[in-house]
Amino acid sequence: MRATSYTKAYLSIYGWQMLSIVLGLLSVFIVVPFLSSNKILYGIYAICISLTMFYNYADIGFISAGQKYAAEYYAREDRKGEISIVSFTAFVLFLFFGGVSVLLIIIGTHPNWIIADLHTYEDHRVATFLILILAFSFPIYACLRILSIIYGIRLEDYKFQKVVIVGNAVRILMALFFFANGRYMLIEYFFVFQLIGGFVVTYGIVDVHRRYGYSWEEFRLYFRFNKQIFNKVKQVAFVSLILTIGWVFYYELDQLVISRFLGAKQVAIFAIALAILTMFRTFLGALYTPFTSRFNHFIGLGDIDGLNSFYKHVVNLLFPLVTLPIIIVSILAKAFVLSWVGMDYNDSVVLVEIIVYANILAFFSYPSNPYLISREKVKYLYVLTVLSPFFFWIGILFTVHAYGIVAFAFWKAFAMILSGVYAYLFVCKVMQEKIWKLPFELLKNYGLPLCLCILLCFLARHFMIYEKGYVALSINAVIMFAVFVLSSLACLLTSKPLREYVCKLVKVI
């Protein structure tokens, strides 16, 4: 494979992801007020949007498996092998997404099966049309996933992300047309929403043909079931599916259980802590995603030493970006929560202080999963998949009656920390590396800045504002950001690897 520096690609991916996140926030503040003006129809729309989760999980792990092996073929500059994997993955996606589409068509003709309060003909009509539009949009969702593989294995996600961002901006503008001046054209808006997605996908298909010389004749040739390819990818696909199921049990079910046994008020209190945990999850996902394909590149080239070195490099460089925000949010949680949602959620403060530490070892766990997948260490991945939900729910079972909602926050953090420890131990075993070597290096590089960060946080408590309001929240956010900047500067002073990489980034910029 050609010698390439991916630093510029990482910067581009991060930059466009940040813009996409900002645009998502704008969408919330601009579009949702229009939609929510009609509570019943907005509820129908929200339920319809939630049905897209069928498309998120319908690939049953083949997206992750396809991306792994396509990246390996790309690293070896084997175009035929890459296209065969991508095309087979596309076939599987269209097969399963088509099945989801049939299910949605059935639901669309009987929307009262999932929406209980469709009392009028208009409500029933809107629900039917929205679900049917979603059902017939399945090729758009499938193509988006395939395009993400093609761009992602080259670490050029940002080239397609630009077009997606333009499409989302147009969607926001279209909301002004369909809902302004007393209009409420929900069906028309959702149809145009999907149509814009179709234009984005069409651009992506043309672009990969032009930019990467993709042969669509070959693509169509491999767009079928291939037993040889299936046998190659099935093990990793099954592991990815099990990982997904594990995440669902760990992340998606706790609010339902709280609602059933502790009541709706406790759900609201826990939701604040869960929202912050989700925020960290989104941030960390964006932080580590660009490196996934690089792990597979090293496997494709047979460079195990390079893979091991790259894993340790990622752990070392991203350590402060993981740990500093968690420490800051935990210590300054009270002022942050009260200025955000007010005194009614004072009970959420202790939950936030605890639950954010679920990701304190993310600098190990996030790169460990793609590392173990790239090395096809299936046994270790199964253990990690079971570990978090098992200890979380066992802990809840034995302590929820004594500690109530606090038990959910504690065991959420404990289970994930335990998973992070085991993830690192498994990687060390695969690498045949001494367990304490990397933690000692991290302590040497970042020990003093972490102590400084804790000290600054306790000092900052005296300047924070403990009352609800946008001004108070803004001031608190600025103070927290200042603590992060000062602590990060200290990291630059104490960590030579970080200092060298930042200098490299400056030159690239």
Side-chain angles (χ1 to χ4, degrees):
M1 183 181 175
R2 59 192 72 80
T4 308
S5 173
Y6 288 94
T7 302
K8 186 176 181 180
Y10 298 146
L11 287 174
S12 298
I13 292 171
Y14 287 144
W16 286 102
Q17 280 181 338
M18 183 62 66
L19 183 58
S20 180
I21 291 172
V22 171
L23 197 66
L25 293 175
L26 285 176
S27 177
V28 170
F29 287 116
I30 295 174
V31 177
V32 170
F34 286 120
L35 294 173
S36 59
S37 62
N38 186 315
K39 187 176 291 185
I40 296 295
L41 294 183
Y42 176 60
I44 295 171
Y45 174 81
I47 292 170
C48 180
I49 291 297
S50 70
L51 291 175
T52 58
M53 67 178 245
F54 286 122
Y55 292 132
N56 294 333
Y57 296 115
D59 67 279
I60 62 170
F62 278 91
I63 280 288
S64 298
Q67 184 159 354
K68 168 184 163 50
Y69 290 108
E72 292 180 12
Y73 281 121
Y74 169 72
R76 294 195 290 264
E77 300 185 17
D78 183 348
R79 176 58 58 86
K80 183 178 178 181
E82 175 194 332
I83 292 179
S84 67
I85 291 291
V86 173
S87 183
F88 172 79
T89 304
F91 171 78
V92 173
L93 275 187
F94 270 85
L95 184 66
F96 284 99
F97 280 27
V100 169
S101 178
V102 172
L103 175 63
L104 290 176
I105 290 172
I106 296 172
I107 294 174
T109 55
H110 302 85
N112 54 296
W113 288 355
I114 62 170
I115 307 174
D117 51 353
L118 296 177
H119 299 305
T120 68
Y121 169 78
E122 179 62 16
D123 294 344
H124 192 282
R125 186 181 74 89
V126 170
T128 294
F129 272 98
L130 292 184
I131 296 173
L132 290 180
I133 290 170
L134 180 64
F136 287 105
S137 300
F138 80 91
I140 297 173
Y141 290 95
C143 288
L144 281 171
R145 303 289 290 275
I146 294 302
L147 289 169
S148 71
I149 292 179
I150 298 172
Y151 285 98
I153 61 177
R154 294 166 169 80
L155 274 76
E156 294 184 350
D157 314 59
Y158 59 92
K159 293 182 178 178
F160 185 55
Q161 187 69 29
K162 298 175 185 179
V163 187
V164 174
I165 288 173
V166 171
N168 289 336
V170 173
R171 285 167 169 167
I172 293 175
L173 294 175
M174 293 307 296
L176 302 178
F177 172 78
F178 286 109
F179 299 103
N181 300 321
R183 291 189 296 269
Y184 199 90
M185 305 168 65
L186 184 57
I187 295 174
E188 294 82 356
Y189 169 73
F190 192 58
F191 176 77
V192 173
F193 184 96
Q194 300 295 353
L195 190 63
I196 292 169
F199 284 124
V200 169
V201 163
T202 301
Y203 173 87
I205 292 172
V206 173
D207 186 57
V208 297
H209 176 69
R210 175 186 58 83
R211 189 187 300 274
Y212 305 129
Y214 245 68
S215 169
W216 298 115
E217 289 75 18
E218 282 187 292
F219 189 90
R220 286 193 294 269
L221 177 65
Y222 291 105
F223 188 80
R224 56 183 174 80
F225 181 78
N226 185 308
K227 186 175 181 180
Q228 184 178 357
I229 297 177
F230 175 77
N231 290 333
K232 182 180 182 65
V233 305
K234 66 180 181 181
Q235 188 175 46
V236 173
F238 186 71
V239 171
S240 299
L241 175 62
I242 297 301
L243 286 171
T244 300
I245 294 172
W247 279 109
V248 168
F249 273 91
Y250 177 76
Y251 270 112
E252 306 292 346
L253 301 181
D254 40 7
Q255 291 201 88
L256 295 176
V257 175
I258 292 171
S259 175
R260 174 65 179 82
F261 293 102
L262 300 179
K265 289 184 179 179
Q266 295 298 304
V267 172
I269 291 171
F270 186 72
I272 299 301
L274 200 61
I276 293 179
L277 182 63
T278 301
M279 177 187 70
F280 273 103
R281 180 185 174 190
T282 302
F283 167 70
L284 293 170
L287 192 64
Y288 285 96
T289 295
F291 301 109
T292 301
S293 290
R294 285 293 293 140
F295 285 120
N296 296 317
H297 288 172
F298 285 109
I299 293 295
L301 296 171
D303 186 4
I304 301 301
D305 290 337
L307 174 64
N308 294 343
S309 177
F310 183 72
Y311 171 87
K312 289 181 277 190
H313 186 65
V314 170
V315 169
N316 210 319
L317 292 183
L318 297 186
F319 177 88
L321 291 178
V322 173
T323 54
L324 294 180
I326 291 173
I327 292 171
I328 293 168
V329 170
S330 178
I331 297 177
L332 302 179
K334 185 170 185 177
F336 177 71
V337 170
L338 296 184
S339 63
W340 176 30
V341 290
M343 283 297 299
D344 290 341
Y345 290 90
N346 188 52
D347 290 342
S348 299
V349 172
V350 66
L351 304 181
V352 173
E353 291 173 342
I354 296 171
I355 206 168
V356 292
Y357 284 102
N359 288 310
I360 195 64
L361 294 184
F363 55 87
F364 281 145
S365 58
Y366 268 77
S368 293
N369 271 349
Y371 177 88
L372 293 171
I373 288 174
S374 68
R375 296 293 300 270
E376 300 186 25
K377 299 301 179 180
V378 175
K379 180 176 66 174
Y380 297 147
L381 289 165
Y382 286 152
V383 173
L384 293 176
T385 301
V386 172
L387 206 60
S388 294
F390 176 78
F391 277 97
F392 175 64
W393 288 110
I394 287 294
I396 294 300
L397 180 64
F398 285 101
T399 62
V400 66
H401 295 293
Y403 298 101
I405 200 170
V406 176
F408 283 86
F410 174 81
W411 288 107
K412 182 80 78 173
F414 176 85
M416 188 56 70
I417 290 172
L418 186 65
S419 178
V421 170
Y422 272 90
Y424 175 66
L425 293 177
F426 289 154
V427 169
C428 286
K429 188 172 182 179
V430 174
M431 287 186 181
Q432 297 182 339
E433 187 86 13
K434 292 181 179 179
I435 294 174
W436 297 108
K437 186 176 180 181
L438 187 53
F440 179 78
E441 185 178 348
L442 293 173
L443 183 63
K444 181 182 69 175
N445 289 334
Y446 300 111
L448 289 177
L450 289 181
C451 293
L452 175 64
C453 179
I454 294 170
L455 176 63
L456 290 174
C457 285
F458 281 103
L459 292 175
R461 279 183 169 182
H462 301 290
F463 301 96
M464 303 282 280
I465 300 176
Y466 296 80
E467 60 184 36
K468 184 181 179 180
Y470 287 115
V471 174
L473 180 60
S474 300
I475 291 173
N476 289 342
V478 169
I479 293 173
M480 295 167 78
F481 183 71
V483 172
F484 174 75
V485 170
L486 292 174
S487 303
S488 299
L489 291 175
C491 289
L492 284 174
L493 294 175
T494 59
S495 174
K496 184 179 178 181
L498 181 63
R499 196 162 55 245
E500 291 175 346
Y501 193 72
V502 169
C503 290
K504 183 179 179 181
L505 292 180
V506 171
K507 290 179 181 179
V508 170
I509 295 173

